[in-house]
Amino acid sequence: VNAADLAVSGATAITYTTQDDTEVTGNPMGMKTNIVFSASGELDNGMSMSYYIMGKDNFAAGSSSAKLTLDMGDMGSIAFDQGVGSGIDAYDDVMPTANEEVWDGLDTTGSGLTGSMDSSGTLNYVNSFGGVGVNAAYRMGSAADNSDGTTSGSNEGGGYSVVLTAGSDLLGLDGLDIGVGYGAQEAGAQNVANHNERDTEDFTAFAKYAIGPVTVGYQRNYISAGAIGTASEEADIFGIAFNVNDNLAVSYGEKETEFLKAGAAHTTEKVDGIGVSYTMGSMKIAGNRNEGSAMGGVAGTDDKDTEIMISFSF
């Protein structure tokens, strides 16, 4: 790159959070700061390179994510991802919401969500063919945010995923977006006697439709667990968001995750939540109230989370 543009942006938020009666809230006040550095520049052959890094909470250890991307024009883009989001990991829950997802802040936030192979240390390819978007990810070996000249120390845990999407240009219906995805992650059979573990597989399908100020969505996820004794999960996610005006938005959503237990009765975790946000220039005031039952597939375990946030972007 012979010339580059550098930009700095970010956001900070102050939150007030309360949880259910079985948990000790203590000091409910908290603060989060995200700082983003991005750089881009053109190569001599007409392609371009870009770099993105976001540090969370003053760049504390393990709380940053980065992505280096080569944009090849009509040939698409290829990137090395350290936790930003690639492949099916970037589509675990794409339902419309005014603030946080309906499971945010609850005890088992990952129930029924795709992305068994996260985006740490992955190669990512993104392109569009005839109106069909492609987002593919591939990782060799275990998930590790390796620095230069280091290795993860394990050949297991690698995998791949791909998501195909289509919008109104292809479907012929304004406001409609659909997508399907599949992913597989190695189960780590070398560490198990008899090598009888299976790969973990992720499936997702979703549709969103926006008409005027209202957006509705439905998503179906299925996670086929590879580890012996681990229940597979089947999730149905629904969301609806309404933009009251240019500043105010409200939403409601539900997620039901059925835990398919071998040799035992299946259980269903149910969560729902409401969200609201109001923006005034660079400031946003938002809140959500999420509730759940049978958390993690354990009958009789309930959870609640309420959060009020005021944030500033810069």
Side-chain angles (χ1 to χ4, degrees):
V1 179
N2 53 31
D5 296 318
L6 178 65
V8 181
S9 61
T12 186
I14 298 174
T15 58
Y16 179 90
T17 304
T18 61
Q19 298 177 323
D20 65 90
D21 296 337
T22 65
E23 298 176 276
V24 178
T25 297
N27 185 353
M29 301 296 294
M31 185 175 184
K32 176 178 70 174
T33 301
N34 295 341
I35 300 178
V36 176
F37 293 90
S38 58
S40 62
E42 292 187 0
L43 305 178
D44 290 340
N45 60 3
M47 298 180 182
S48 63
M49 293 290 299
S50 62
Y51 179 67
Y52 167 99
I53 181 170
M54 181 176 72
K56 305 176 184 178
D57 301 326
N58 300 320
F59 285 80
S63 61
S64 64
S65 54
K67 199 169 191 177
L68 179 63
T69 304
L70 171 64
D71 188 340
M72 303 177 292
D74 291 341
M75 293 187 293
S77 65
I78 187 169
F80 183 72
D81 189 353
Q82 286 281 49
V84 174
S86 298
I88 204 170
D89 182 48
Y91 294 84
D92 57 355
D93 180 356
V94 297
M95 293 300 94
T97 178
N99 190 30
E100 301 286 2
E101 297 89 345
V102 296
W103 41 265
D104 183 77
L106 300 179
D107 289 338
T108 55
T109 58
S111 297
L113 300 182
T114 58
S116 300
M117 186 192 82
D118 63 20
S119 298
S120 296
T122 63
L123 295 171
N124 180 215
Y125 178 74
V126 176
N127 204 350
S128 179
F129 301 93
V132 177
V134 177
N135 191 322
Y138 173 72
R139 187 176 71 210
M140 299 174 282
S142 61
D145 292 338
N146 298 328
S147 60
D148 63 313
T150 63
T151 62
S152 68
S154 173
N155 293 325
E156 301 183 65
Y160 65 93
S161 68
V162 61
V163 175
L164 305 178
T165 57
S168 56
D169 291 343
L170 180 65
L171 302 173
L173 181 60
D174 289 342
L176 179 63
D177 293 285
I178 63 173
V180 294
Y182 171 80
Q185 181 186 17
E186 295 177 357
Q190 294 179 15
N191 297 323
V192 179
N194 301 322
H195 295 207
N196 53 4
E197 297 273 291
R198 296 179 293 108
D199 289 351
T200 297
E201 296 179 295
D202 290 357
F203 304 84
T204 190
F206 57 85
K208 293 189 294 183
Y209 181 59
I211 178 170
V214 179
T215 302
V216 296
Y218 170 75
Q219 184 167 357
R220 182 69 179 269
N221 292 340
Y222 178 70
I223 299 94
S224 177
I228 296 173
T230 301
S232 296
E233 302 173 18
E234 210 169 60
D236 294 286
I237 314 173
F238 164 79
I240 180 170
F242 174 54
N243 294 320
V244 180
N245 52 46
D246 291 340
N247 304 100
L248 178 64
V250 295
S251 65
Y252 173 78
E254 297 179 357
K255 177 169 73 75
E256 291 192 4
T257 304
E258 185 176 10
F259 289 78
L260 311 175
K261 302 178 180 179
H266 297 178
T267 55
T268 301
E269 174 192 284
K270 298 181 179 181
V271 302
D272 60 75
I274 57 174
V276 60
S277 66
Y278 184 80
T279 58
M280 294 178 288
S282 62
M283 185 180 76
K284 180 171 76 171
I285 301 173
N288 57 269
R289 167 74 170 182
N290 295 337
E291 298 185 13
S293 62
M295 304 307 296
V298 179
T301 58
D302 300 338
D303 196 24
K304 299 177 183 178
D305 182 82
T306 303
E307 180 180 289
I308 301 173
M309 175 188 72
I310 180 170
S311 65
F312 301 88
S313 59
F314 54 88

